């Protein structure tokens, strides 16, 4: 069966890129197998667990449900782009560490990306909004209380400038 | 394994309709249903509808026209829809998770025609009509005639859903939207009820609309109950009486099934609750 790759231009973690992607790949597969960005986790692959959450034009989406060619023209942020550079964690990541919100760690990249998306839109989320925004991310270690605490801590302590880059 | 032989994303509606006319392409909107369907491995050619400018919400007198590519997130956050189509606003806000609402569209929800599609019972309340386009022209079909059964619609070959035309709710209408499921978040509906009530000055029911998902063979309004309630003084007994008739209709139309002993009392209780809730919104002045 002949398939033709699709040329796409996009921005990944602030870096402009051009690639040819197979039309039968999802964004999740492209990130992991095409680019070697394995921080975005492959969990259920049916949009239920949120482990593959990335930011797509400023919104949280499941990378397992986006076809790779659909990223043409888009700006995508993954967990690899969250910390600025070197070894210093982003304040959201730091809050996850300080609140013991990381257990086995598999859901953490998705949780962090959902947190980024939430705080981009709502700097002081109510508890209801906070929970609703993380409802699409499952933690099988059930560390939800610590995760919610971490999001709250990040929301309260973080400077706005730490969110600026995700708007681009 | 996903098998996609070709992916096209035209920028003009005419080009898209021309390609669809070839009969080989599957349209893609947000992909939240489609990408799962692609996993069956059947080779397909994809036509992405995203760049056709179908993500509009138009306010025109007593109607609102919603482009098929408008996402659930956009519907749920739109103030005009919250005011004039409050049940749709609520229904979209309850779809899946934020990630799903950010990609999933109202058009995809309708065309996929799952019995649990949240927007369908809501849109039925507003007499939604679907604008369908193909290279041969445009036709308009009431939503009530579009869904033929689970995952079956009257969408013709080469046709796409362009937009949805809804009649605005009268001001000061009470409403309710009840989605029955096993959990609160990321919840696939087992039964859906949407109602709206308008009261006359004399305290009697002026008009009432009721629609149900996963009750009858297709999502549908219940005109018999609607007619029965008009002109009556609202009460719990009246609502329960109406709900009992709805339950009998369900068994008559959908047949006696393994789930009937569960569904019958559930429908009676939920419909009573749905009507009470709609009416209490009116009384509390919580009409949005
Ligand atoms: C985890 C998860 C949870 C979910 N929860 C819910 C829920 O709570 N409630 C609910 O109702 N749904 C739910 N869904 C289903 C889905 O998200 C919705 O039905 C969504 O609205 C589909 O829209 P889409 O844009 O993603 O459609 P797509 O997946 O792009 O398309 C769906 C189908 O419709 C066709 N199609 C799409 N747009 C058009 C058009 N304009 N013209 C012609 N054909 C078209 C496609 O060819 C395809 O067959 C859930 C899905 C997932 C994965």
């Amino acid at each position: 069966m002949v398939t033709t790759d699709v040329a796409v231009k996009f921005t990944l973690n602030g870096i402009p890129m051009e690639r040819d992607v197979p039309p039968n790949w999802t964004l999740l597969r492209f990130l992991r197998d095409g680019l070697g960005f394995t921080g975005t986790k492959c969990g259920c692959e049916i949009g239920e667990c949120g482990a593959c959450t990335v930011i797509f034009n400023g919104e949280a989406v499941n990378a397992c449900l986006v076809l790779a060619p659909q990223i043409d023209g888009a700006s995508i942020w993954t967990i690899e782009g969250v910390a600025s550079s070197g070894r210093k964690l982003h304040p959201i990541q730091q809050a996850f560490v300080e609140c013991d919100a990381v257990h086995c760690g598999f859901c953490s990249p998705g949780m962090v990306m959902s947190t980024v998306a939430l705080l981009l839109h709502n700097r002081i989320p109510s508890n209801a909004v906070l929970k609703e925004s993380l409802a699409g991310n499952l933690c099988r270690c059930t560390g939800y209380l610590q995760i919610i605490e971490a999001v709250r801590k990040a929301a309260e302590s973080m400077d706005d400038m730490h969110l600026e880059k995700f708007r681009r | 394994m996903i098998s996609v032989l070709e992916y096209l994303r035209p920028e003009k509606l005419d080009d898209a309709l021309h390609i669809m006319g070839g009969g080989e392409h599957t349209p893609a909107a947000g992909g939240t249903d489609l990408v799962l369907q692609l996993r069956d491995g059947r080779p397909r050619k994809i036509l992405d509808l995203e760049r056709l400018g179908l993500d509009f919400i138009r306010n025109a007198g007593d109607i609102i026209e919603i482009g098929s590519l408008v996402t659930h997130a956009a519907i749920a956050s739109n103030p005009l829809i919250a005011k004039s189509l409050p049940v749709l606003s609520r229904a979209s806000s309850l779809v899946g998770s934020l990630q799903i609402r950010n990609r999933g569209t109202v058009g995809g929800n309708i065309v996929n025609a799952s019995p649990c599609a949240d927007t369908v019972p809501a849109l039925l309340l507003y007499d939604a009509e679907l604008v369908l386009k193909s290279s041969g022209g445009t036709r308009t079909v009431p939503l009530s005639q579009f869904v033929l059964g689970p995952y079956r619609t009257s969408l013709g070959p080469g046709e796409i859903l362009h937009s949805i035309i809804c009649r605005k709710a009268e001001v000061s209408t009470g409403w309710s939207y009840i989605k029955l499921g096993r959990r609160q978040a990321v919840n696939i509906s087992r039964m859906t009820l949407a109602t709206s009530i308008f009261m006359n000055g004399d305290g009697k029911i002026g008009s009432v609309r009721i629609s149900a998902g996963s009750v009858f063979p297709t999502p549908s309004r219940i005109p018999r109950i609607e007619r029965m309630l008009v002109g009556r003084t609202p009460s719990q007994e009246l609502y329960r009486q109406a709900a009992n008739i709805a339950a009998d209709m369900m068994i008559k139309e959908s047949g006696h099934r393994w789930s009937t002993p569960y569904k019958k009392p559930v429908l009676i209780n939920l419909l009573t609750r749905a009507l009470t809730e709609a009416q209490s919104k009116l009384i509390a002045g919580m009409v949005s």
Side-chain angles (χ1 to χ4, degrees):
Chain A
M1 253 178 298
V2 193
T3 63
T4 351
D5 284 1
V6 183
V8 289
K9 282 189 195 178
F10 57 100
T11 314
L12 180 60
N13 299 330
I15 301 162
M17 294 191 179
E18 290 182 32
R19 289 286 191 286
D20 292 329
V21 297
N24 61 331
W25 279 21
T26 61
L27 170 57
L28 176 60
R29 180 154 184 210
F30 174 58
L31 288 170
R32 293 180 58 88
D33 298 352
L35 299 174
F37 278 49
T38 52
T40 305
K41 297 302 172 205
C42 176
C44 69
E45 282 199 274
I46 54 170
E48 283 181 7
C49 78
C52 67
T53 303
V54 299
I55 296 185
F56 189 94
N57 293 334
E59 311 284 355
V61 309
N62 298 308
C64 72
L65 297 180
V66 177
L67 290 173
Q70 295 182 307
I71 67 174
D72 186 47
S75 165
I76 295 152
W77 287 88
T78 66
I79 191 68
E80 285 88 350
V82 172
S84 286
S85 59
R87 297 175 56 84
K88 199 163 157 29
L89 293 177
H90 186 277
I92 294 174
Q93 294 171 308
Q94 192 61 42
F96 269 67
V97 172
E98 284 167 16
C99 297
D100 284 326
V102 179
H103 291 244
C104 84
F106 194 83
C107 74
S108 307
M111 288 286 181
V112 169
M113 298 320 287
S114 283
T115 306
V116 172
L118 164 64
L119 299 182
L120 266 179
H121 294 285
N122 193 336
R123 277 302 266 118
I124 317 163
S126 66
N127 260 336
V129 169
L130 195 163
K131 286 185 185 168
E132 181 57 45
S133 304
L134 295 185
N137 294 77
L138 300 183
C139 169
R140 293 201 66 184
C141 311
T142 66
Y144 294 106
L145 290 180
Q146 292 90 328
I147 290 168
I148 290 168
E149 200 188 316
V151 177
R152 185 135 306 294
K153 179 166 189 164
E156 282 162 10
S157 62
M158 182 173 61
D159 195 286
D160 278 350
M161 70 175 193
H162 293 295
L163 291 169
E164 261 330 295
K165 66 177 177 185
F166 302 109
R167 296 188 200 280
R168 290 191 295 264
Chain B
M1 255 304 278
I2 295 180
S3 177
V4 175
L5 303 178
E6 182 178 66
Y7 171 90
L8 301 174
R9 182 150 71 172
E11 314 219 335
K12 291 206 178 79
L13 184 59
D14 282 346
D15 293 344
L17 296 178
H18 180 76
I19 297 166
M20 284 300 295
E24 291 186 345
H25 288 78
T26 304
T32 58
D33 282 315
L34 181 65
V35 173
L36 302 182
Q37 291 156 8
L38 292 178
R39 298 233 162 88
D40 67 7
R42 217 177 82 207
R44 289 185 187 76
K45 296 183 176 181
I46 300 291
L47 177 90
D48 197 322
L49 304 174
E50 201 185 334
R51 292 207 175 145
L52 305 177
L54 298 180
D55 56 348
F56 59 85
I57 296 175
R58 232 176 254 148
N59 185 13
D62 56 358
I63 62 160
I64 295 180
E65 183 176 8
I66 304 172
S68 59
L69 270 275
V70 177
T71 63
H72 296 293
I75 288 179
S77 65
N78 185 284
L80 174 69
I81 291 186
K83 180 165 172 279
S84 301
L85 309 171
V87 183
L88 177 63
S89 177
R90 177 91 181 129
S92 275
S93 78
L94 293 176
V95 170
S97 61
L98 187 57
Q99 288 96 320
I100 297 292
R101 293 193 292 278
N102 281 336
R103 293 288 295 169
T105 64
V106 61
N109 200 221
I110 295 170
V111 175
N112 197 57
S114 157
C116 60
D118 272 297
T119 62
V120 174
L123 287 165
L124 285 170
L125 282 194
Y126 302 118
D127 297 329
E129 303 219 352
L130 308 183
V131 180
L132 306 174
K133 289 195 186 260
S134 68
S135 55
T138 302
R139 66 181 177 118
T140 307
V141 182
L143 173 60
S144 55
Q145 290 168 25
F146 182 74
V147 180
L148 303 177
Y151 308 100
R152 283 198 312 123
T153 71
S154 64
L155 189 75
E159 257 180 347
I160 66 157
L161 172 58
H162 174 270
S163 55
I164 302 118
I165 297 176
C166 303
R167 196 152 296 282
K168 287 182 190 169
E170 299 95 340
V171 275
S172 66
T173 305
W175 58 270
S176 63
Y177 182 83
I178 293 185
K179 175 174 180 176
L180 174 73
R182 284 201 273 218
R183 55 197 290 253
Q184 253 179 31
V186 200
N187 175 15
I188 298 296
S189 181
R190 297 285 181 280
M191 187 188 285
T192 320
L193 293 172
T195 73
S196 71
I197 287 193
F198 178 76
M199 301 280 256
N200 286 335
D202 59 3
K204 298 211 156 62
I205 297 171
S207 73
V208 57
R209 293 163 181 227
I210 304 167
S211 65
S214 302
V215 170
F216 302 109
T218 60
S220 39
R221 290 270 290 271
I222 319 181
R224 195 173 140 202
I225 309 287
E226 295 178 359
R227 278 196 303 272
M228 167 195 156
L229 291 172
V230 170
R232 307 281 292 271
T233 307
S235 71
Q236 283 291 301
E237 297 83 273
L238 178 68
Y239 291 158
R240 190 157 280 276
Q241 199 189 335
N244 269 293
I245 297 174
D248 290 341
M249 288 170 68
M250 169 177 78
I251 294 167
K252 196 160 158 240
E253 288 180 38
S254 301
H256 222 287
R257 304 189 183 187
W258 62 270
S259 57
T260 305
Y262 166 76
K263 271 197 152 172
K264 185 179 174 188
V266 166
L267 176 60
I268 294 170
N269 285 327
L270 282 191
L271 186 51
T272 308
R273 192 197 298 169
L275 290 164
T276 311
E277 199 182 307
Q279 192 202 331
S280 69
K281 274 216 179 73
L282 263 181
I283 291 166
M286 277 170 50
V287 179
S288 43

